[in-house]
Amino acid sequence: MAIDKALPLYVFYLGEEDDKYPNSFAYGAVNLAAFLANAMVLAIQSDACDEHNWQEVAGRYAISNSCGQEGRSYQDEECGEVFSCPVDPDMEMTAVTA
């Protein structure tokens, strides 16, 4: 099983439900652990807990990057019923800082 809907060029391998590959879920678990470890290292190195902005606009990292970088539109991406919910245009977001 692999998740390949989010980015068309990448696949996240989680394992196979096939007796031909008895260790596939172990490989998937290692893949997941490596991904999470890498995310933690990147977050600690750059003191960030969100996506890294790498696309500059006029020499700066634009706030619009939170809506998508490199031509992507995060709002328009769909991952199917299992991985996402339909967009609620009336949803409100509230942020609280300590």
Side-chain angles (χ1 to χ4, degrees):
M1 176 165 86
I3 299 172
D4 62 357
K5 299 284 185 187
L7 295 172
L9 300 177
Y10 301 98
V11 173
F12 193 85
Y13 183 75
L14 297 174
E16 301 287 335
E17 292 189 62
D18 191 341
D19 292 336
K20 292 190 320 186
Y21 308 106
N23 295 326
S24 68
F25 284 116
Y27 295 144
V30 169
N31 191 29
L32 179 60
F35 172 78
L36 293 174
N38 183 57
M40 187 174 185
V41 166
L42 291 177
I44 291 170
Q45 282 178 343
S46 60
D47 195 23
C49 61
D50 204 349
E51 178 183 36
H52 292 282
N53 290 326
W54 64 83
Q55 184 180 18
E56 292 184 16
V57 177
R60 305 182 109 184
Y61 297 120
I63 190 70
S64 61
N65 286 352
S66 62
C67 300
Q69 298 183 81
E70 303 295 338
R72 291 176 58 197
S73 171
Y74 297 147
Q75 180 176 348
D76 297 328
E77 290 183 1
E78 293 182 12
C79 297
E81 292 179 17
V82 176
F83 301 108
S84 66
C85 305
V87 174
D88 180 1
D90 298 322
M91 187 179 294
E92 294 182 18
M93 182 174 71
T94 304
V96 178
T97 59

